[in-house]
Amino acid sequence: QVQLMESGGGSVQAGGSLRLSCVASGNIHESYCIGWFRQSPGKGREGVAGIDNSGGASYADSVKGRFTVSADNTKNISYLHMDNLKPEDTGMYFCAACGGKWCAGDYCYPGELFGDAMDYWGKGTLVTIFS
C-alpha cells in the first residue's frame, strides 16, 4: 500500500509562484508514474503533469512552460513548481501514483485517461490565485 501526502498550497497573487510537495510512503513498483492533478469548482479533474521513474516529465498544454515537475527517488518525494500563476490555476491539487511498466514511459502523460490509470491518491492541497 502506498500513501501520498501533498503540501505547499496557499494563496498567492497572479504572477507569483508556489511549490507543491508530494511525499510517498510504502512500497511502489520500480517502474512508476507520479501524476499531478487539479480540480476547480465547476470543472472536472485535470491532469497537469506527470513524471516517471526515469525522470521523464510531461505537461498539459495549459501549464507547459510555467510548471515544472520533479522527483527525488531517494526521498520518495515529488515537487510541482508553479511559476507565473494565473487565477485559472486556482483549485485543489492532488498527486497520484501508479506502479508497473504499463504506466511509466509514454503512458505517464496527463491525457484524458490519466486519472483512471492511478492507483493511489493524496488528499490534496488548495491553491488560490487572486488577481
Side-chain angles (χ1 to χ4, degrees):
Q1 191 73 8
V2 175
Q3 292 82 41
L4 303 172
M5 181 176 291
E6 306 91 340
S7 62
S11 182
V12 298
Q13 191 169 20
S17 299
L18 280 173
R19 189 182 76 165
L20 307 183
S21 300
C22 173
V23 177
S25 59
N27 295 317
I28 194 168
H29 195 279
E30 60 182 4
S31 295
Y32 66 81
C33 171
I34 301 293
W36 284 92
F37 299 80
R38 66 187 179 190
Q39 187 155 18
S40 306
K43 296 183 180 179
R45 184 179 63 197
E46 176 189 14
V48 296
I51 186 166
D52 72 2
N53 52 285
S54 72
S58 57
Y59 302 91
D61 288 343
S62 59
V63 306
K64 200 171 292 184
R66 299 188 299 121
F67 289 14
T68 303
V69 63
S70 62
D72 184 337
N73 293 337
T74 62
K75 298 180 180 178
N76 286 349
I77 189 167
S78 174
Y79 299 103
L80 184 67
H81 191 97
M82 308 183 293
D83 290 322
N84 191 21
L85 284 160
K86 305 175 181 180
E88 52 263 42
D89 293 318
T90 292
M92 186 71 77
Y93 281 70
F94 302 87
C95 67
C98 62
K101 293 182 179 180
W102 63 272
C103 77
D106 291 342
Y107 300 101
C108 187
Y109 176 80
E112 185 176 345
L113 302 178
F114 194 38
D116 294 340
M118 296 295 149
D119 299 314
Y120 310 103
W121 290 84
K123 294 184 178 181
T125 186
L126 182 63
V127 171
T128 304
I129 311 302
F130 58 91
S131 56

